[in-house]
Amino acid sequence: MIDSSMQQFTFLAARQFEWREVPTPKIESPGQAIVRPLAVTRCDLDLYIANGIVPMRNEAFAFGHEIAGEVVEIGDDVNGFVPGDRVIVPFQINCGTCKNCQLGFPNACTSVPAFSAYGLAQSSGKDWGGGLSDYVLVPYADAMLVKIPDQISLPVAAAISDNASDGYRTVAGPLEKQPGEDVLIVGGLAQSVGLFAAQAALALGAGRVVYTDFDSDRLSRAKKIGAQVLERQYHADMPVDGQFSIVVDASNMPDGLIYALNSTAACGHCTGVSAPGRKMDNIPLGSMYMKGITYDISRAQARATMPGVIKCACDGRIKHEEVISKSVPFAQAEEMITDPDIKVVFVKD
């Protein structure tokens, strides 16, 4: 029996959070399920929302969106899951049946408001709940939920719901088209995504994987993963370190993006995992045109990407736990949500 009220970790303003007692979500249609979060990894974006670098209105909303947990209740039409199943809850809300979902674009599901996701109510205008809560409602259980294989821990499963899948998609498609090519990862403020991308590139058979960054902890972790590392302070007009057919910009910095684009070889592919600076006047469109490079910028298609990530985790090619840097109980969320460590996971007490 689920209690009528629950605890929810709630954003109030930058560096201001509190645990609030709120009504427990209820199943309102037969395709829904309720999941009890057991592990929630902090998304790279969450850190910057929490510390105010990414500004949000001072309006309360549920926080946390990288979720792994246990099904506790299902609607009558849910066929793929039963109470007790360990599941990954992808961070984006998607129906699985609209045109975009069928095309593999769950981040653009047309059955819900644009940008709908857990823990990010101000993006879509609708609060879908947050992972750092006693329970979350999954509106499209069969389309969204993914069972966690025995080989995968709850913290790793939580990371796969967003950042680990985000890193994977930056290199999986390009390496499928150009097997064995060298890969450059421009690391930075998308702390874990860049490292997850390096892991994926190595797992998927890239040639040389070069990881650049200005942070010694991330450089050390990238080296342990198996990447060649170069310490770089990104700045305007900085020289490149070669030409790479596949480049990932995880810097989330305008100068890092320019370095990434200038490092992309003729007819190569550069993927950006964020929108540094939001608007930029100095993107080298002329050289990009002459070289014929592709720049791909998009939010992750998490649910569509997850099967490939899970396969690599199950067969041991990717050890996502090497990126997760700190584990703390839910009860420490207020003090640890702004901790600068690379990848924090909150686990149910």
Side-chain angles (χ1 to χ4, degrees):
M1 184 70 178
I2 300 176
D3 292 338
S4 60
S5 64
M6 68 172 190
Q7 292 295 304
Q8 171 189 285
F9 188 63
T10 306
F11 172 95
L12 304 178
R15 297 186 178 274
Q16 295 182 38
F17 292 82
E18 69 179 19
W19 287 98
R20 286 189 170 181
E21 186 170 344
V22 299
T24 301
K26 297 179 180 179
I27 289 179
E28 298 176 344
S29 70
Q32 297 179 343
I34 293 178
V35 170
R36 182 167 70 101
L38 298 174
V40 176
T41 38
R42 188 188 63 193
C43 173
D44 295 344
L45 175 61
D46 286 344
L47 172 61
Y48 304 120
I49 293 174
N51 64 21
I53 291 176
V54 174
M56 289 283 174
R57 298 184 301 277
N58 293 345
E59 298 174 1
F61 63 92
F63 209 67
H65 64 261
E66 295 193 349
I67 307 166
E70 176 186 19
V71 175
V72 296
E73 191 175 316
I74 60 171
D76 292 341
D77 289 350
V78 176
N79 298 310
F81 303 90
V82 297
D85 283 344
R86 296 193 324 157
V87 292
I88 302 173
V89 183
F91 81 103
Q92 293 155 333
I93 311 298
N94 64 277
C95 70
T97 58
C98 73
K99 180 180 178 181
N100 284 343
C101 285
Q102 289 292 301
L103 289 171
F105 304 142
N107 76 5
C109 176
T110 58
S111 295
V112 295
F115 319 127
S116 286
Y118 294 105
L120 294 165
Q122 291 192 22
S123 296
S124 67
K126 178 176 174 64
D127 198 331
W128 294 94
L132 288 164
S133 301
D134 290 337
Y135 301 99
V136 292
L137 177 69
V138 182
Y140 305 100
D142 282 329
M144 292 177 59
L145 295 177
V146 177
K147 289 182 181 178
I148 302 173
D150 292 340
Q151 303 97 310
I152 297 179
S153 69
L154 284 166
V156 166
I160 290 173
S161 70
D162 182 4
N163 283 173
S165 293
D166 198 4
Y168 180 93
R169 61 98 184 183
T170 64
V171 296
L175 280 169
E176 185 176 4
K177 293 179 180 178
Q178 296 179 287
E181 286 290 340
D182 292 347
V183 175
L184 172 67
I185 313 291
V186 182
L189 301 183
Q191 298 197 98
S192 72
V193 176
L195 293 168
F196 285 133
Q199 285 187 316
L202 290 162
L204 296 173
R208 191 168 54 115
V209 177
V210 178
Y211 178 91
T212 66
D213 207 325
F214 48 86
D215 180 84
S216 59
D217 288 342
R218 293 192 296 266
L219 286 163
S220 175
R221 202 162 290 256
K223 187 174 182 179
K224 289 179 181 177
I225 287 169
Q228 176 185 337
V229 300
L230 298 174
E231 183 174 356
R232 293 291 180 267
Q233 298 288 336
Y234 308 127
H235 58 83
D237 303 319
M238 66 182 291
V240 298
D241 293 287
Q243 295 290 290
F244 296 79
S245 293
I246 299 170
V247 178
V248 178
D249 174 38
S251 70
N252 198 19
M253 302 170 67
D255 289 341
L257 171 58
I258 301 306
Y259 170 73
L261 292 171
N262 286 335
S263 300
T264 306
C267 302
H269 192 283
C270 178
T271 301
V273 303
S274 59
R278 303 295 173 177
K279 296 180 180 180
M280 293 176 58
D281 296 326
N282 57 339
I283 294 176
L285 291 175
S287 66
M288 291 168 66
Y289 170 79
M290 295 301 293
K291 291 164 69 177
I293 72 172
T294 298
Y295 176 49
D296 176 7
I297 181 169
S298 170
R299 295 180 300 131
Q301 305 286 354
R303 179 60 183 83
T305 306
M306 283 165 53
V309 184
I310 290 170
K311 185 176 187 300
C312 284
C314 285
D315 65 22
R317 283 184 291 161
I318 299 180
K319 293 180 170 56
H320 296 101
E321 60 274 10
E322 294 176 350
V323 174
I324 297 171
S325 52
K326 187 172 291 183
S327 178
V328 298
F330 270 36
Q332 293 184 20
E334 281 188 78
E335 60 187 279
M336 297 302 298
I337 198 66
T338 55
D339 186 284
D341 222 323
I342 296 169
K343 191 70 172 175
V344 178
V345 59
F346 301 95
V347 294
K348 186 68 89 173
D349 303 40

